[in-house]
Amino acid sequence: MIFPSNRVRIVVATKPVDFRKGHDGLAALVKNELRKDPFTGTVFVFRAKRADRLKLLYWDGTGLVMTYQRLEETTFTWPVIRDGLMTLNHAQFEALFAGLDWRKVKALAARPPAAAECHGEPFGRAVRGWF
């Protein structure tokens, strides 16, 4: 799937929406009912009454992008239906979109290395010999 950077915020609307809504209808729903700005680059995830369908809406800087997915043999794992929003991290979203149980996914915390080395040499010494 073509998807924006893993640094975007992913928000799930926990209440099912009318899946006849298109780009503009979902953007209006985000603004008026969820009280969020649909033009910030946040990915908004919506579910239908049937748990086998989802829609994504996000602003890519040039226009609204909407993605629709329907599972053929199973259903998506959704949070309890209630009015509100919840956030997912990128790994949880990827699991949800793949039809997996996103609740079992825990993202690993990535930390930068203490120092970069090049063939056993600190990076600075190895580079000096190249010039």
Side-chain angles (χ1 to χ4, degrees):
M1 173 190 160
I2 299 171
F3 193 72
S5 156
N6 65 355
R7 295 184 182 188
V8 299
R9 186 168 182 215
I10 301 166
V11 177
V12 177
T14 58
K15 184 178 176 183
V17 300
D18 180 353
F19 256 42
R20 294 174 292 183
K21 291 183 186 293
H23 296 77
D24 295 330
L26 290 175
L29 186 143
V30 168
K31 183 175 181 180
N32 299 328
E33 292 186 32
L34 303 179
R35 305 280 187 238
K36 300 290 182 187
D37 183 355
F39 306 108
T40 59
T42 297
V43 176
F44 295 94
V45 181
F46 302 95
R47 64 165 289 176
K49 288 180 184 175
R50 297 175 64 177
D52 65 341
R53 299 152 200 238
L54 65 75
K55 281 187 180 181
L56 309 177
L57 182 74
Y58 68 96
W59 175 259
D60 73 352
T62 62
L64 284 170
V65 177
M66 186 174 67
T67 303
Y68 176 96
Q69 180 161 351
R70 180 182 71 204
L71 296 177
E72 295 297 328
E73 297 180 13
T74 187
T75 60
F76 292 103
T77 301
W78 290 103
V80 176
I81 296 175
R82 64 179 201 274
D83 287 337
L85 299 172
M86 64 174 284
T87 59
L88 295 179
N89 64 39
H90 192 74
Q92 289 170 323
F93 169 76
E94 290 288 340
L96 171 68
F97 198 78
L100 303 173
D101 189 348
W102 58 269
R103 298 170 298 181
K104 297 180 180 179
V105 175
K106 303 289 185 227
L108 298 175
R111 59 183 175 88
E117 292 189 13
C118 189
H119 302 290
E121 293 286 329
F123 187 67
R125 280 189 270 166
V127 170
R128 273 187 237 122
W130 292 349
F131 299 103

